[in-house]
Amino acid sequence: MTPAGPSRQGWGFLAPALIWTCAFFILPFLVMGAMSFATLEGRTLVWGLSLENYIELGQKAYLWRAVLVSLEITLTVTVVSVVLAYPLAWIIAYRVPQRWQRLVLLLAILPFWTSYVVRSYAWLLVLAREGVINQTLIGAGLLAEPVTLANTRFATVTGFVHFFVMLLTLTIYANLVQLPANYRKAATDLGANAFQTFWHVILPLTLPGIVTGAFLTFVLCIGDYVTPQILGGNNELTVPQVIMVQLGRRADFPLASALAIVLMALVTVVYLLSSRWLRLDRL
């Protein structure tokens, strides 16, 4: 019995992953894409090649508003998370002794171990009118009456940032610890001060970690349903919330599919831009 050739063995190893990808990603995506061109007549789903759902996306203001709200929240969360994560990653990489860095990183990833729903409800209790923040400010005499923090965009952004700062910290930290210490020493020998060393040496070399973490933040944030639903309420609907409304209340699967395709298109555009930037940066 002759052993299988390298090519046959390679396909044997790839087959389970390919079958899984086709069954649980490519096939559902094709069905969703086809359904986005179908129409709903009463309770009957009519398959076809109609652009009615995409035309409805352009005509109904609340649908476009949901897209804009999702983009605004996602971009805000991404920028704020990067601004907060970079100093934290810097402190862990260069100010915390190496023997303590693993412990600090372990503490940094603790939010990943907490249930997503539990974490969102915990923030809801903190931000409520009778929550910790309002009671603390009132007790300190800084407020005369509680302010509304929960069920707002601020609450949604806060819940997201709490999670994604840790994700970005890990990606940026991984870049920082890989930089040879000689780079900073060489910049100092050439007369650069601390800020110049950071701006012209450290920051450009860690941009791949920033871009990678920012892209992951964008993808996970723009497609999230739980946090906006719990912390933001229904005051400003995001695209995932609108999709759930179409599915749960109206059973309008074609329109929900069209919204999902638009959401995936946005993610694809961001992916192409980030990957193109990373390729250009390496030239």
Side-chain angles (χ1 to χ4, degrees):
M1 183 179 226
T2 59
S7 177
R8 186 176 300 177
Q9 289 180 347
W11 279 109
F13 286 119
L14 286 175
L18 291 175
I19 293 173
W20 182 275
T21 302
C22 291
F24 295 101
F25 177 74
I26 296 178
L27 183 60
F29 176 75
L30 293 176
V31 172
M32 184 177 67
M35 187 171 293
S36 69
F37 293 102
T39 56
L40 196 64
E41 297 181 1
R43 292 291 180 179
T44 304
L45 183 65
V46 179
W47 295 91
L49 294 176
S50 174
L51 296 176
E52 180 179 332
N53 298 305
Y54 293 98
I55 295 174
E56 188 173 353
L57 288 179
Q59 291 178 341
K60 291 191 175 180
Y62 80 94
L63 296 176
W64 271 111
R65 177 62 183 166
V67 175
L68 292 176
V69 168
S70 293
L71 285 174
E72 290 171 0
I73 290 176
T74 301
L75 292 175
T76 302
V77 169
T78 302
V79 172
V80 173
S81 298
V82 169
V83 171
L84 295 178
Y86 203 104
L88 179 58
W90 179 279
I91 292 172
I92 296 174
Y94 296 135
R95 294 292 180 264
V96 176
Q98 192 170 5
R99 66 179 181 274
W100 295 107
Q101 287 185 9
R102 291 186 178 180
L103 176 61
V104 174
L105 288 173
L106 180 64
L107 295 175
I109 64 175
L110 281 179
F112 292 99
W113 298 357
T114 308
S115 169
Y116 208 59
V117 176
V118 171
R119 185 168 58 248
S120 297
Y121 275 113
W123 272 110
L124 187 63
L125 293 175
V126 171
L127 298 173
R129 291 183 64 85
E130 295 79 19
V132 176
I133 294 179
N134 273 314
Q135 293 303 314
T136 301
L137 294 176
I138 292 174
L142 299 177
L143 289 178
E145 57 183 20
V147 296
T148 301
L149 297 175
N151 297 324
T152 62
R153 182 181 296 195
F154 171 79
T156 301
V157 171
T158 301
F160 275 135
V161 169
H162 173 229
F163 179 79
F164 291 118
V165 161
M166 299 302 106
L167 176 65
L168 276 157
T169 298
L170 295 178
T171 60
I172 297 171
Y173 169 83
N175 266 185
L176 288 172
V177 295
Q178 291 177 0
L179 296 180
N182 292 334
Y183 286 5
R184 288 183 292 159
K185 294 179 181 178
T188 302
D189 291 340
L190 293 172
N193 56 33
F195 177 78
Q196 290 172 329
T197 300
F198 168 76
W199 188 257
H200 296 289
V201 179
I202 304 299
L203 182 60
L205 292 175
T206 54
L207 278 178
I210 297 174
V211 173
T212 301
F215 171 71
L216 292 175
T217 300
F218 184 93
V219 172
L220 295 174
C221 184
I222 200 170
D224 189 273
Y225 168 78
V226 174
T227 299
Q229 182 67 20
I230 295 176
L231 294 178
N234 293 318
N235 295 324
E236 286 186 319
L237 295 180
T238 61
V239 174
Q241 288 176 290
V242 174
I243 290 175
M244 291 302 296
V245 169
Q246 303 304 320
L247 294 176
R249 298 181 183 177
R250 299 180 56 190
D252 194 341
F253 288 90
L255 183 56
S257 298
L259 282 166
I261 293 295
V262 170
L263 195 62
M264 292 192 67
L266 291 173
V267 172
T268 302
V269 169
V270 173
Y271 166 75
L272 293 175
L273 291 175
S274 60
S275 62
R276 177 178 174 80
W277 185 92
L278 289 173
R279 286 197 302 269
L280 291 175
D281 186 63
R282 292 174 183 174
L283 294 178

